[in-house]
């Protein structure tokens, strides 16, 4: 960074858009646990795409590295700046610019929080299906950068399936105008796909055209207790058959998760006893209240009669549905009741029929390193995604050994080391456990082509 670079930034974007020194709040260089990294050289907060372009032109010309930040809810150290980097914060580009119900699309700036998008489209009787626990803080740009999944993937797909078009600024300041409000567009390479899930290493997403859907008028949520994972698979097969397109979510919780949530998280009440091996949350939604009620009740009655479920409760109101979801959505609150230094959060995907065997293998093999270690497991079982939290309070110095072992087991089971949280910097050493050398080198070719000076989110996913 040459002398006077910050002054040139201020001239190009306006002094009010550039924070330096004591004006940089600690939130720009602390993670969710409050652990700090080095303070960035500057924090730039553009208000328009043109200002993002001006910033990147300057940084590209002088080879100044940039880290793009959204809501800072990531868990793989993707948004924390490296030493001497400029932070590009999208927080002021947070508008929902348009809701077009005729096209089923919303035009949104990348810094808009997910919950803000939900609330705006709900005013029109529509919904944006992407939903996750960090909805109040995470941003659309961050969701796009990690191809976020969340609770409704089984019906609506990942973020990738909910994007119609993107406006992106590449490393040299070039603006790619790809905002289109229609699904069919077979005009060569679909460039937006390059940027979805690429964690900001290829370009900065500034605006997005999102798919929105009419809000179902009726939602029913059931919580079931089951004796084994074989029965979890059975109820999943039955739910898909009996509910079809009405099935919105299928979440599984191992006993340790459910029991500890009810015990340790204030305000969470378990509607079922906490001594069952497995719990499944099923959500169905439709515009036909009578049909959806009947379909879900029939599913539960059949499953009970065939000894697939031990016990169940069905929501009778929006409040009771929210209370059931509170059990599933309190994972972060539960994690915070344990020492941060001695827990490892895994976000993996694998074949559903191997999940139980995988969890048993994880539990047994981590105890060979630390006899007191244990795993808390839950996840979006309907789409093959598990969240596994490893706890090793008596051996915090063995974190690297336990983490490496867990990802090795994931590889042995043919799984992905990241289902929806991305790779960032923390998972980078394990990327080869899920991707081949040829795949990784192809990623580097794309990076060199779009960011030849390697200024965008250096060291995320892989090194150059």
């Amino acid at each position: 960074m040459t002398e006077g670079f910050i002054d040139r930034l201020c001239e190009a974007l306006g002094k009010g858009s550039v924070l330096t020194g004591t004006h940089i709040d600690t939130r720009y260089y602390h993670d969710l646990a409050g652990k700090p990294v080095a303070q960035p050289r500057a924090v730039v907060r553009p208000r328009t795409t043109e200002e993002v372009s001006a910033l990147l032109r300057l940084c590209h010309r002088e080879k100044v590295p940039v880290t793009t930040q959204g809501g800072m809810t990531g868990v793989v150290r993707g948004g924390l700046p490296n030493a001497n980097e400029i932070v590009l914060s999208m927080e002021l580009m947070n508008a929902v610019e348009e809701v077009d119900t005729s096209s089923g699309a919303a035009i949104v700036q990348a810094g808009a929080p997910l919950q803000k998008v939900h609330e705006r489209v709900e005013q029109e009787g529509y919904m944006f299906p992407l939903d996750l626990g960090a909805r109040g803080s995470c941003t659309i740009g961050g969701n796009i950068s990690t191809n976020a999944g969340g609770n409704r993937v089984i019906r609506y797909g990942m973020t990738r399936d909910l994007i119609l078009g993107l406006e992106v600024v590449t490393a040299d300041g070039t603006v790619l105008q790809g905002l289109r409000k229609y699904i069919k567009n077979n005009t060569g390479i679909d460039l937006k796909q390059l940027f979805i899930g690429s964690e900001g290493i290829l370009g900065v997403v500034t605006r997005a055209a999102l798919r929105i859907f009419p809000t179902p008028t009726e939602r029913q949520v059931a919580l079931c207790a089951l004796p084994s994972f074989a029965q979890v698979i059975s109820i999943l097969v039955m739910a898909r058959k009996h509910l079809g397109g009405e099935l919105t979510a299928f979440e599984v919780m191992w006993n340790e998760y459910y029991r500890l949530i009810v015990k340790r998280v204030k305000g969470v009440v378990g509607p079922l006893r906490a001594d069952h091996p497995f719990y499944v949350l099923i959500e169905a939604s439709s515009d036909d209240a009578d049909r959806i009620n009947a379909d879900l009740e029939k599913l539960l009655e059949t499953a009970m009669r065939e000894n697939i479920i031990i016990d169940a409760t069905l929501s009778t109101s929006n409040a009771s549905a929210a209370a059931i979801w509170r059990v599933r959505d309190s994972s972060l609150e539960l994690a915070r009741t344990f020492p941060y230094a001695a827990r490892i959060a895994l976000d993996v995907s694998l074949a559903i029929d191997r999940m139980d065997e995988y969890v048993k293998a994880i539990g047994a093999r981590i105890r060979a390193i630390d006899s007191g270690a244990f795993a808390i497991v839950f996840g979006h079982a309907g789409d093959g995604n598990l969240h596994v939290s490893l706890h090793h309070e008596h051996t915090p110095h063995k974190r690297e050994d336990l983490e490496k072992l867990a990802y090795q087991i994931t590889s042995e089971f043919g799984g992905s080391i990241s289902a929806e949280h991305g790779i960032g910097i923390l998972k980078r050493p394990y990327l080869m456990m899920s991707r081949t050398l040829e795949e990784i080198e192809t990623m580097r070719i794309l990076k060199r082509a779009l960011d030849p000076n390697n200024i965008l989110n250096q060291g995320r996913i892989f090194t150059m």
Side-chain angles (χ1 to χ4, degrees), residues 34-308:
K35 185 178 179 181
V37 296
Q39 187 185 70
R41 295 292 296 272
V43 174
V44 181
R45 304 188 302 164
R47 290 176 171 82
T48 65
T49 300
E50 291 72 25
E51 290 185 353
V52 175
S53 177
L55 166 66
L56 293 186
R57 275 198 306 273
L58 284 169
C59 291
H60 175 75
R61 188 171 65 208
E62 300 206 22
K63 300 182 180 179
V64 175
V66 178
T67 289
T68 305
Q69 291 184 353
M72 295 294 283
T73 60
V75 294
V76 294
R77 203 190 176 285
L80 286 173
N82 296 316
N84 296 315
E85 288 189 338
I86 299 291
V87 163
L88 166 54
S89 171
M90 299 299 292
E91 62 189 328
L92 299 184
M93 294 185 64
N94 58 19
V96 179
E97 297 180 349
E98 178 187 1
V99 177
D100 180 355
T101 57
S102 65
S103 297
I107 305 299
V108 177
Q109 291 182 333
L114 177 59
Q115 185 169 321
K116 181 177 182 178
V117 176
H118 286 171
E119 292 170 353
R120 175 63 185 88
V121 300
E122 283 170 5
Q123 295 174 13
E124 309 296 330
Y126 273 65
M127 63 176 289
F128 178 54
L130 180 65
D131 189 33
L132 49 150
R135 65 184 69 84
S137 304
C138 68
T139 64
I140 291 299
N143 300 149
I144 292 169
S145 74
T146 58
N147 188 28
N151 301 331
R152 295 171 176 155
V153 171
I154 194 169
R155 178 166 176 177
Y156 294 101
M158 302 280 283
T159 298
R160 186 180 304 279
D161 302 296
L162 301 172
I163 302 296
L164 294 170
L166 294 178
E167 177 185 80
V168 180
V169 182
T170 60
D172 64 357
T174 300
V175 180
L176 302 180
Q177 297 284 3
L179 285 181
R180 297 178 178 90
K181 297 190 295 183
Y182 42 83
I183 295 174
K184 293 184 176 180
N185 180 29
N186 291 311
T187 51
I189 296 172
D190 189 358
L191 294 177
K192 70 176 182 292
Q193 301 298 346
L194 294 176
F195 303 100
I196 302 171
S198 63
E199 301 186 43
I201 69 170
L202 302 180
V204 176
V205 174
T206 48
R207 296 159 73 213
L210 310 177
R211 294 184 69 187
I212 59 174
F213 300 81
T215 303
T217 57
E218 182 69 17
R219 181 179 69 150
Q220 282 282 345
V221 180
L223 183 67
C224 311
L226 302 97
S228 73
F229 197 79
Q231 272 78 15
V232 172
I233 294 177
S234 295
I235 193 73
L236 172 59
V237 172
M238 290 178 64
R240 283 174 166 156
K241 180 178 179 181
H242 285 263
L243 300 176
E246 296 174 352
L247 180 61
T248 309
F250 187 95
E251 305 286 309
V252 66
M253 295 164 275
W254 269 249
N255 173 268
E256 291 84 354
Y257 176 86
Y258 185 89
R259 175 170 49 84
L260 291 172
I261 281 281
V262 173
K263 180 180 179 181
R264 300 177 73 122
V265 179
K266 185 178 181 180
V268 174
V269 178
L272 301 178
R273 281 171 29 201
D275 58 352
H276 301 297
F278 294 91
Y279 299 83
V280 163
L281 183 157
I282 300 171
E283 181 183 272
S285 57
S286 170
D287 289 330
D288 189 331
D290 292 337
R291 187 184 71 196
I292 195 173
N293 291 341
D295 287 349
L296 196 49
E297 286 181 359
K298 181 179 179 182
L299 169 66
L300 298 179
E301 290 170 0
T302 303
M304 189 79 75
R305 186 171 59 250
E306 296 181 7
N307 296 317
I308 293 173

Side-chain angles (χ1 to χ4, degrees), residues 344-379:
I344 302 168
L346 307 177
D347 158 48
V348 302
S349 283
L350 66 158
I352 296 170
D353 62 0
R354 303 205 69 191
M355 284 183 172
D356 193 38
E357 182 186 0
Y358 169 81
V359 171
K360 289 176 179 176
I362 286 272
R365 289 168 66 177
I366 63 172
R367 284 192 293 273
I369 296 176
D370 176 353
S371 61
F374 62 96
I376 299 174
V377 187
F378 66 99

